[in-house]
Amino acid sequence: MKITDLTLRTVDMTMKFPFETSVGITDTREILLIEVTDGEYVGYGECVADIDPYYSEETVETAIHIIKDFIIPRLKGASIQHPSDISSLLAPIRRHQMAKGGVDCALWDLYAKQQAKSLSEVLGGTKTEVPVGISIGIQKDVETLIEKINVYVNEGYQKIKIKIKPGFDYEILKQVREAFPAVSIMADANSAFTLQDLELFKKMDTLNLLMIEQPLAHDDIVDHSKLQAAIQTPVCLDESIHSFEDARKAIELGSCKTINIKIGRVGGLFEAKQIHDLCAENNIPVWCGGMFETGIGRAHNVAISSLHNFSIPGDTAPSARYWDKDIIEPEITMSEAGTVAVPTEQGIGVTVDQTHVDSITKRLETFSM
Ligand SMILES: O=C(O)CCC(=O)c1ccccc1C(=O)O
Ligand SMILES: [Mg+2]
């Protein structure tokens, strides 16, 4: 692969509404974008790190540091034949998955464009559209939550994910289930509970939830295996899984029955595909999580979701979910049936609105490769 330049760009974007999880509230984001070019094509990636270290130890600042001071020097000295080489090239850099993931995605997009293929095709995707779920932040009361769910169900979303935390948990989910007996409903705790809450999870176990996502500590697979043994509802791991090896161990321990694969959390598309394949071999369905991405990150999420074992609707809501104006055109839209089309154009299949991106750019630095 020919690469001539790599550009790091951060853009300031304000979400349509503050989004609360058990970790905190997100309303404005400084988002790190990675652009790689060979002089003819440009590949785009998005680093999903926040500006602060409360959800993840990585931040925009740490990612810029790791990319500038360690990843770029390794890329400069390497001969990359295929983007699947990047994962092993960057393996000596310990962790920093989100920094690696942004660069990895940009290089996969560039490669697909050089091959005149869609990213989905290069990854081995088989679907022409993917089912879409929606993630709903913690609301001020259950009435507000039910009102929002009613709107989203009517818009066609195929999975309703409800953020929970201590005090906004079983009773809320019970009333939601009573209001929507047939809707596919899941809960995401973002590690807000412990095994001391086992009785609470046994009560949730009566609500026919699709899954309970990351109920326990962000770095745990042992307590999750004890919880999964005690309840029928599938446990889904998100924050606990940073790599293929984490997934292998979690499966071996019985810590989960499904995995939320986030490209950025696991270090890029190759690792995400490896985890997808491992789960398929173990009859464990997967789905693609979201991190409030721009259309660039969402386009990567749609591409990876086209692989066959991404059989559960992902958090792949369209551009209008979070942004008054996305940085791509056309924006990602959802059909009335609750699906997003998998682009057939080259690479990620979306065009960056360069005028708009330039107008919201906060930081910009280009490195020759
Ligand atoms: O981007 C989306 O639509 C999903 C957002 C979401 O749920 C989320 C957003 C930020 C951090 C963690 C999570 C999560 O899935 O746990
Ligand atoms: Mg989650």
Side-chain angles (χ1 to χ4, degrees), residues 62-80:
T62 64
I64 289 173
H65 159 52
I66 293 299
I67 294 171
K68 279 175 66 172
D69 299 329
F70 297 98
I71 292 178
I72 287 174
R74 295 192 74 87
L75 288 178
K76 277 184 174 178
S79 164
I80 299 170

Side-chain angles (χ1 to χ4, degrees), residues 19 55 135 161 163 188 190 213 238-239 260 262 290-293 298 315 317 322:
F19 191 107
Y55 172 72
S135 178
K161 171 162 129 176
K163 293 291 185 176
D188 185 357
N190 290 110
E213 185 180 349
D238 175 351
E239 291 88 333
N260 169 345
K262 291 177 179 175
M291 291 289 285
F292 307 137
E293 297 95 341
R298 289 290 180 185
D315 288 345
Y322 296 117

Side-chain angles (χ1 to χ4, degrees), residues 159 186 211-214 221 234-252 255-262 265-266 272 275-276 278-280 282 284-289 309-314:
K159 180 181 69 137
M186 64 170 283
M211 67 185 81
I212 298 178
E213 185 180 349
Q214 202 66 41
I221 57 175
V235 168
C236 173
L237 293 178
D238 175 351
E239 291 88 333
S240 297
I241 306 299
H242 292 271
S243 65
F244 174 90
E245 279 300 289
D246 285 349
R248 178 185 65 78
K249 292 165 190 170
I251 291 168
E252 208 165 296
S255 308
C256 61
K257 290 181 179 172
T258 179
I259 291 178
N260 169 345
I261 295 178
K262 291 177 179 175
R265 190 193 70 231
V266 301
I275 295 170
H276 162 273
L278 173 70
C279 290
N282 287 275
I284 290 180
V286 299
W287 55 285
C288 184
N309 191 38
F310 278 89
S311 56
I312 298 171

Side-chain angles (χ1 to χ4, degrees), residues 128 144 151 175 256 262 290 293 303-304 350:
T128 57
T144 304
V151 169
Q175 291 180 64
C256 61
K262 291 177 179 175
E293 297 95 341
I304 196 74
V350 296

